[in-house]
């Protein structure tokens, strides 16, 4: 019996076929499909669905659709994001598509329904039903993915049409095959079609099972080979032909490890993890590396420190000349350690110019104390992970430099040199200086936690020794945790002894010579120090000595000389012309020229400050590449002079009608700092009053507006520079008296050091007395002003 239905809303399905009695949901997004569903909801919820032949066609026509579809009843419509509609529908009846139109923005179809005619006898139905159930049961048994409850439920159905429908719905078929089942109106043919489809699927499953069996055989073969290898390995172990398992080796090392119970438990847990991990897995290599690191760490293993204070003193004296403060502090530490049996380990920071022996003395200290020596270079380190290590979750993770240093030393109480700690930097990866705070804090470092090691490390037994060239770049919290020991520049006498007792012998041996083949006179050595090097340390001096040895070695080989003697007279043959000359004192006293003292990174130096006055409009000019602090010192100096102009008979009109120009020669060299304040003030008074300044006087100190002289730094280097230049008298701030007293007599010998609290302590001595009296007489119109300079 058939019925004709006209203008029923229609949806073309892509890649899907719905059978009668099938409850299914499908998603639609095309506007025409959405409108069709909306129309159906308004008219009894009936909708005709038919599959497209080609799912890529966006606007299907009659020729693009199959001829048979299904009338469904819409149960539910749900709106989803991105303009999607999810429709839940139940298949009701087969129908044939006779005409398709699209007039109202959606597909409408004329369809003809048909019912299955029951023309089969009972025996045929039973035979078909049994065939279907047997095929379905065989398929389900081989597939193994369908639930037993569902299979039992379908096998219990006695109605042929219903059984065929349920089997067709639950078989995992492509929509084309389901479409064939839908189009088959004859019940007998439909059952035969289902049996054919299931027979094909059963055949595919048999082939798949056969392939799986072959794969399994291969896997079993590999497994058998693995078992045989393990047996061979066991036989080799019994015959002592091979090492035991790596995990057992680790366990043996753990049993011998000197460490706390907590550490051993952690390592034991990691060994068990490694034992259970597959040998070829990526995790096993990570665990192995971690276990090896933990086993190599010196948890409770310590070296025995030397307690012979006399031997320690001998080693320090033999290896380094000078550096008295460092040697004293180390001997004090050793003395306390001997008396108390423990004592806090100091954290020392050696600060000084390059080449002064900061790094090399650390090795001598380690030798004197019988400690293991580890050097960690911190110059340019900017990643926090370099100090604390990387977390183990990262590929290629490793311990930080501190933990690695302990691992390298092999003991928990080495001497660890933190070289160039002032060169630490930071970036977006973290602040390395902040990471060092925990390392260098004796209250915290007994439980330093490295990100890779994870177990707290005891750094309280480590003797930390840091080196730096400049404390200004070290953050204050980090600086506060270290005990500073300043290493100043070497004097020429110290350089002479260092070169003669250490550097010369080292270079002679390094270049394959001996003391019988080459000799260097004391005079030549002193000339090298003064004429060929200009530095605070001795690195450049060592290079010059090496250059002499190399040229002497060539002479011995080429000219067949038995020995070479280097003297002052033939020194130029080896090193060329003299590179540096000392700025000697001026031959005569001059107006407006004063010798100042400066500190540089390579030691002290003298600065000749020049002042000129000329008619003008009261301008004040500074040249010589001066820094802001130095310019402000000059401004303070001129303000002081103007405040005391009456005492020096300088008219009020002078500063409005004259220009003052201060220049410091060597204009290409940047200069800064407040210590030239008194020098510039003296030079300006000399130029304004036309009184010459003594050529043999040098001075240093910061000036205030009221003429007070404030303390400065780098005094040792400045006094050395004054002595080299041949100065007789040097003015230093009175508050620097303690610093002067600490300086050795060798440097002060031949210098008259005067302490100044105000400018009034400097000017009477620095200005030439006779010239001062004549200048003042000229200004006041008197013939004699004896004693005037002494009063001021």
């Amino acid at each position: 019996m058939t019925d004709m239905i006209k203008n029923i809303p229609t949806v073309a399905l892509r890649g899907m076929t719905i059978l009668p009695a099938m409850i299914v949901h499908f998603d639609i997004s095309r506007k025409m499909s959405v409108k069709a569903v909306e129309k159906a909801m308004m008219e009894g919820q009936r909708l005709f669905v038919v599959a497209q032949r080609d799912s890529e066609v966006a606007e299907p026509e009659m020729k693009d659709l199959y001829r048979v579809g299904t009338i469904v009843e819409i149960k539910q419509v749900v709106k989803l994001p991105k303009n999607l509609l999810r429709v839940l529908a139940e298949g009701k009846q087969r129908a044939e598509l006779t005409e398709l139109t699209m007039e109202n923005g959606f597909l409408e179809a004329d369809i003809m329904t048909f019912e299955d005619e029951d023309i089969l006898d009972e025996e045929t139905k039973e035979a078909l039903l049994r065939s279907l159930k047997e095929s379905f049961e065989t398929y389900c048994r081989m597939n193994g993915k369908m639930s037993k409850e569902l299979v039992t439920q379908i096998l219990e159905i006695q109605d042929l049409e219903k059984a065929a429908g349920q089997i067709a719905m639950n078989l995992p078929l492509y929509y084309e095959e389901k479409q064939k089942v839908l189009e088959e109106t004859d019940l007998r043919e439909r059952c035969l079609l289902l049996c054919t489809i299931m027979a094909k699927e059963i055949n595919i499953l048999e082939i798949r099972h056969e392939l799986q069996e072959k794969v399994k055989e291969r896997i079993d073969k590999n497994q058998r080979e693995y078992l045989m290898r393990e047996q061979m390995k066991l036989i080799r172990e019994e015959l002592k032909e091979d090492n035991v398992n790596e995990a057992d080796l680790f366990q043996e090392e753990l049993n011998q490890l000197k460490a706390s119970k907590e550490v051993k438990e952690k390592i034991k847990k990691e060994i068990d993890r490694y034992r259970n991990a597959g040998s070829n897995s990526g995790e096993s290599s990570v665990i192995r590396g971690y276990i090896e690191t933990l086993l190599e760490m010196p948890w409770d293993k310590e070296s025995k420190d030397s307690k012979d204070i006399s031997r320690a003193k001998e080693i320090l004296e033999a290896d380094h000349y000078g550096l008295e403060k460092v040697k004293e502090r180390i001997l004090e530490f050793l003395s306390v350690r001997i008396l108390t049996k423990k004592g806090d380990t100091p954290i020392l920071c050696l600060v000084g110019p390059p080449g002064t022996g900061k790094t090399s003395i650390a090795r001598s200290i380690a030798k004197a104390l019988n400690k293991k020596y580890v050097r960690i270079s911190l110059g340019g380190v900017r990643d926090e992970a370099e100090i604390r290590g990387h977390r183990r979750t990262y590929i290629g993770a490793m311990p930080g430099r501190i933990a690695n240093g302990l691992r390298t030393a092999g003991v928990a109480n080495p001497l660890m040199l933190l070289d160039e700690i002032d060169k630490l930097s930071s970036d977006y990866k973290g602040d390395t200086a902040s990471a060092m705070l925990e390392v260098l804090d004796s209250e915290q470092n007994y439980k330093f936690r490295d990100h890779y090691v994870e177990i707290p490390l005891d750094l309280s037994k480590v003797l930390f020794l840091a080196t730096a060239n400049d404390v200004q770049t070290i953050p204050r919290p980090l600086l506060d945790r270290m005990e500073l020991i300043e290493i100043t520049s070497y004097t020429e006498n110290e350089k002479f002894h260092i070169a003669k007792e250490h550097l010369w012998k080292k270079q002679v041996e390094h270049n394959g010579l001996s003391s019988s083949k080459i000799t260097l006179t004391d005079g030549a050595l002193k000339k090298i120090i003064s004429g060929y090097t200009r530095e605070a340390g001795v690195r450049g001096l060592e290079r010059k000595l090496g250059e002499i040895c190399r040229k002497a070695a060539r002479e011995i080989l080429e000219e067949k000389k038995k020995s070479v003697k280097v003297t002052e007279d033939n020194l130029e043959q080896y090193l060329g012309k003299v590179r540096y000359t000392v700025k000697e004192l001026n031959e005569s006293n001059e107006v407006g020229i004063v010798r100042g003292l400066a500190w540089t990174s390579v030691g002290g130096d003298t600065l000749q400050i020049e002042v000129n006055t000329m008619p003008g409009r009261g301008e004040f000019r500074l040249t010589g590449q001066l820094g802001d602090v130095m310019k402000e010192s000059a401004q303070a100096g001129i303000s002081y002079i103007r405040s005391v102009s009456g005492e020096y008979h300088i008219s009020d009109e002078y500063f409005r009608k004259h220009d003052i120009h201060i220049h410091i020669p060597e204009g290409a060299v940047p200069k800064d700092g407040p210590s030239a304040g008194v020098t510039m003030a003296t030079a300006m008074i000399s130029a304004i009053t036309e009184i010459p300044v003594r050529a043999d006087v040098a001075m240093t100190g910061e000036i205030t507006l009221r003429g007070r002289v404030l303390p400065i730094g780098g005094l040792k280097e400045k006094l050395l520079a004054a002595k080299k230049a041949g100065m007789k008298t040097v003015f230093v701030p009175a508050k620097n008296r303690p610093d002067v007293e600490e300086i050795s007599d060798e440097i002060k010998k031949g210098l008259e050091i005067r302490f100044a609290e105000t400018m009034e302590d400097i000017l009477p001595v620095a200005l030439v007395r006779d010239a001062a009296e004549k200048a003042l007489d000229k200004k006041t119109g008197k013939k004699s002003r004896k004693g005037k300079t002494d009063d001021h």
Side-chain angles (χ1 to χ4, degrees):
M1 183 178 176
T2 60
D3 292 321
M4 189 74 177
I5 301 174
K6 289 183 173 291
N7 300 328
I8 185 170
T10 302
V11 170
L13 298 177
R14 293 192 276 196
M16 186 177 187
T17 298
I18 298 177
L19 299 173
M22 189 175 178
I23 297 175
V24 67
H25 62 74
F26 55 91
D27 295 340
I28 56 174
S29 60
R30 290 182 289 194
K31 289 183 178 179
M32 62 180 184
S33 299
V34 173
K35 287 184 177 180
V37 170
E38 290 172 351
K39 180 70 173 175
M41 291 297 290
M42 291 187 290
E43 296 181 0
Q45 299 181 338
R46 282 200 315 167
L47 181 71
F48 180 68
V49 292
V50 61
Q52 287 185 206
R53 295 180 186 276
D54 184 2
S55 59
E56 298 295 325
V57 177
E59 295 181 5
E61 299 174 359
M62 186 83 171
K63 66 180 186 335
D64 300 315
L65 304 176
Y66 285 100
R67 298 303 300 273
V68 179
T70 308
I71 299 171
V72 299
E73 182 181 351
I74 299 172
K75 298 290 185 182
Q76 187 182 38
V77 178
V78 179
K79 285 188 177 181
L80 298 177
K82 298 184 180 178
N83 299 320
L84 282 176
L85 276 188
R86 178 160 291 175
V87 180
L88 179 66
E90 181 183 3
K92 290 295 184 182
Q93 192 177 6
R94 287 179 178 81
E96 184 178 3
L97 178 64
T98 58
E99 191 173 345
L100 185 71
T101 59
M102 186 176 176
E103 294 179 355
N104 301 313
F106 60 91
L107 294 175
E108 290 179 303
D110 294 342
I111 58 174
M112 186 178 292
T113 64
F114 42 81
E115 294 287 341
D116 295 339
E117 294 182 2
D118 191 4
I119 58 173
L120 297 174
D121 55 59
E122 292 300 320
E123 289 80 8
T124 306
K125 283 183 179 180
E126 186 64 23
L128 288 171
L129 183 60
R130 289 183 183 181
S131 296
L132 274 175
K133 288 183 177 180
E134 285 174 5
S135 297
F136 183 70
E137 189 175 9
T138 305
Y139 171 82
C140 293
R141 186 176 64 252
M142 293 189 70
N143 183 277
K145 294 181 180 179
M146 210 166 286
S147 70
K148 291 181 180 180
E149 293 80 9
L150 179 63
V151 174
T152 304
Q153 187 179 349
I154 293 173
L155 292 176
E156 286 176 355
I157 298 172
Q158 298 302 318
D159 183 79
L160 178 61
E161 184 177 358
K162 191 174 180 182
Q166 287 295 322
I167 289 170
M169 279 189 284
N170 288 285
L171 283 176
L173 304 177
Y174 291 108
Y175 78 95
E176 292 95 337
E177 291 178 319
K178 283 191 177 181
Q179 184 66 34
K180 289 178 184 177
V181 175
L182 179 67
E183 290 177 354
E184 193 56 67
T185 57
D186 186 272
L187 182 59
R188 183 175 183 278
E189 292 300 323
R190 194 186 315 150
C191 292
L192 291 174
L193 177 61
L194 283 172
C195 288
T196 305
I197 291 170
M198 283 190 287
K200 180 184 174 184
E201 288 295 322
I202 290 166
N203 190 34
I204 291 171
L205 288 171
E206 286 176 347
I207 295 169
R208 195 183 78 177
H209 285 160
E210 187 180 342
L211 291 172
Q212 285 178 341
E213 286 296 320
K214 288 182 179 179
V215 172
K216 187 180 178 183
E217 283 178 12
R218 292 187 183 180
I219 292 172
D220 289 342
K221 184 181 177 183
N222 292 336
Q223 188 71 15
R224 187 170 64 253
E225 288 175 357
Y226 170 78
L227 290 171
M228 291 172 68
R229 285 195 190 96
E230 287 298 306
Q231 289 172 352
M232 288 173 66
K233 185 178 178 183
L234 186 62
I235 293 167
R236 286 197 185 99
E237 288 177 7
E238 290 296 320
L239 296 173
K240 307 294 183 184
E241 290 181 0
D242 201 358
N243 291 331
V244 293
N245 189 292
E246 266 189 320
D248 297 330
L249 277 173
F250 289 148
Q251 187 63 51
E252 286 179 15
E253 289 183 40
L254 177 61
N255 295 336
Q256 298 171 6
L257 187 69
K258 292 177 69 175
S260 64
K261 184 181 177 182
E262 292 80 5
V263 172
K264 287 193 172 185
E265 284 178 358
K266 172 71 175 174
I267 300 174
K268 177 71 169 61
K269 192 183 293 183
E270 292 297 327
I271 291 173
D272 291 340
R273 279 185 64 203
Y274 179 65
R275 202 189 298 274
N276 295 328
S279 59
N280 295 323
S281 69
E283 187 184 10
S284 66
S285 60
V286 174
I287 299 171
R288 184 174 67 246
Y290 182 56
I291 294 170
E292 287 171 351
T293 301
L294 294 184
L295 290 172
E296 289 172 6
M297 295 300 294
W299 300 102
D300 293 337
K301 184 181 176 183
E302 297 180 22
S303 61
K304 192 174 180 181
D305 289 355
S306 170
K307 293 184 178 180
D308 189 346
I309 194 166
S310 302
R311 176 180 169 275
K313 187 175 182 180
E314 285 175 12
I315 292 171
L316 292 173
E317 291 293 345
D319 290 352
H320 286 80
Y321 182 87
L323 303 177
E324 299 301 331
K325 286 185 181 180
V326 185
K327 294 175 183 176
E328 282 178 16
R329 185 64 184 88
I330 295 303
L331 293 175
E332 287 167 7
F333 157 68
L334 185 57
S335 303
V336 172
R337 178 61 62 91
I338 293 168
L339 291 174
T340 62
K341 308 297 182 187
K342 44 180 183 177
D344 292 335
T345 304
I347 298 170
L348 308 178
C349 181
L350 309 181
V351 182
T356 49
K358 299 183 296 298
T359 304
S360 61
I361 198 172
R363 195 178 287 106
S364 298
I365 293 170
K367 182 181 173 184
L369 300 178
N370 196 30
K371 283 182 175 288
K372 294 284 186 181
Y373 171 75
V374 181
R375 177 177 172 270
I376 298 175
S377 180
L378 298 176
V381 173
R382 57 184 181 183
D383 187 355
E384 183 194 356
E386 292 277 352
I387 307 298
R388 288 188 174 276
H390 302 82
R391 299 192 185 277
R392 280 199 295 147
T393 50
Y394 297 112
I395 295 172
M398 61 181 69
R401 295 198 180 200
I402 304 298
N404 214 34
L406 280 179
R407 181 182 174 185
T408 305
V411 291
N413 61 336
L415 183 147
M416 197 172 284
L417 176 68
L418 305 174
D419 211 6
E420 309 290 358
I421 198 169
D422 58 326
K423 309 299 188 303
L424 281 172
S425 57
S426 60
D427 63 4
Y428 66 94
K429 294 178 182 177
D431 186 0
T432 45
S434 298
M436 289 297 297
L437 293 178
E438 186 182 357
V439 176
L440 297 180
D441 191 339
S442 56
E443 299 296 325
Q444 300 178 46
N445 66 6
Y446 70 95
K447 279 194 175 181
F448 172 72
R449 191 175 288 273
D450 184 274
H451 289 157
Y452 181 82
V453 177
E454 293 180 352
I455 307 170
L457 299 171
D458 186 2
L459 302 181
S460 62
K461 301 169 188 173
V462 179
L463 174 58
F464 285 107
L465 199 65
T467 68
N469 297 128
D470 185 11
V471 294
Q472 301 299 323
T473 56
I474 304 176
R476 291 298 306 175
L478 185 59
L479 194 63
D480 187 55
R481 283 163 169 77
M482 299 185 289
E483 183 179 336
L484 294 183
I485 298 178
E486 190 174 352
I487 297 178
T488 53
S489 307
Y490 290 123
T491 64
E492 286 196 2
N493 185 49
E494 286 173 332
K495 289 181 181 179
F496 175 79
H497 285 291
I498 292 168
K500 189 172 182 179
E501 296 170 19
H502 301 282
L503 304 182
W504 177 245
K505 292 176 184 177
K506 178 181 171 183
Q507 287 300 323
V508 167
E509 184 181 342
H510 183 72
N511 288 281
L513 301 172
S514 62
S515 56
S516 61
K517 289 184 178 179
I518 184 169
T519 54
L520 179 71
T521 64
D522 291 351
L525 182 55
K526 288 177 180 177
K527 189 174 180 181
I528 295 169
I529 293 168
S530 62
Y532 291 91
T533 62
R534 176 163 291 181
E535 57 181 345
V538 290
R539 280 206 185 104
L541 176 58
E542 187 175 6
R543 291 190 195 101
K544 293 297 178 185
L545 296 177
E547 188 178 341
I548 291 172
C549 290
R550 291 193 300 273
K551 291 187 177 178
R554 184 179 173 187
E555 273 186 33
I556 290 170
L557 290 175
E558 288 183 352
E559 300 176 16
K560 307 298 181 185
K561 287 185 177 181
K562 290 185 178 181
S563 64
V564 173
K565 186 176 183 180
V566 182
T567 64
E568 289 181 77
D569 297 330
N570 65 357
L571 185 61
E572 287 190 5
Q573 296 177 17
Y574 299 93
L575 297 180
K577 296 291 183 183
V578 173
R579 298 275 312 272
Y580 302 105
T581 56
V582 178
K583 296 176 184 175
E584 300 287 350
L585 57 84
N586 297 337
E587 294 180 0
S588 59
N589 304 331
E590 295 184 53
V591 172
I593 295 179
V594 184
R595 191 68 67 97
L597 302 175
W599 180 92
T600 69
S601 59
V602 295
D605 198 4
T606 60
L607 294 175
Q608 188 161 283
I609 294 175
E610 300 176 350
V611 178
N612 261 357
T613 61
M614 60 216 83
R617 293 177 296 178
E619 291 184 1
F620 188 63
R621 188 176 301 170
L622 297 157
T623 57
Q625 207 175 150
L626 311 185
D628 291 339
V629 177
M630 206 167 190
K631 288 177 181 177
E632 288 173 3
S633 293
Q635 295 284 355
I638 193 65
S639 296
Y640 164 71
I641 293 168
R642 293 181 70 173
S643 70
V644 297
S645 59
E647 297 178 23
Y648 291 91
H649 301 280
I650 303 168
S651 67
D652 297 336
E653 298 292 319
Y654 186 88
F655 296 100
R656 287 200 296 270
K657 295 182 178 180
H658 290 79
D659 293 344
I660 299 173
H661 186 168
I662 299 178
H663 177 69
I664 302 178
E666 298 181 25
V669 181
K671 310 167 191 74
D672 205 359
S675 62
V678 295
T679 317
M680 289 188 286
T682 305
M684 284 189 283
I685 284 183
S686 169
I688 293 167
T689 59
E690 298 179 5
I691 303 173
V693 180
R694 284 173 53 189
D696 61 350
V697 169
M699 58 189 72
T700 181
E702 181 180 351
I703 189 173
T704 69
L705 286 174
R706 299 299 179 91
R708 288 186 296 116
V709 182
L710 301 184
I712 43 80
L715 199 54
K716 179 183 174 182
E717 289 82 0
K718 291 178 178 179
L719 292 179
L720 273 170
K723 190 171 183 179
K724 277 185 189 177
M727 295 295 159
K728 299 291 188 293
T729 305
V730 179
F731 282 99
V732 299
K735 290 184 180 178
N736 281 113
R737 189 184 293 270
D739 300 318
V740 174
E741 289 172 357
E742 285 185 2
I743 295 171
S744 64
D745 293 336
E746 177 197 340
I747 297 172
K748 294 186 284 187
K749 187 179 179 182
L751 286 177
E752 181 190 359
I753 299 174
R754 291 198 172 213
F755 298 101
E757 291 187 357
T758 66
M759 285 296 294
E760 297 300 324
D761 298 325
I762 298 173
L763 295 174
V765 180
L767 300 177
V768 180
R769 294 193 178 193
D770 293 341
E773 290 174 2
K774 289 177 182 177
L776 290 174
D777 288 343
K778 183 178 179 182
K779 287 181 180 290
T780 56
K782 295 182 179 180
K783 293 183 179 180
S784 177
R785 296 270 317 166
K786 287 183 182 179
K788 184 66 180 175
T789 309
D790 293 336
D791 294 337
H792 298 279

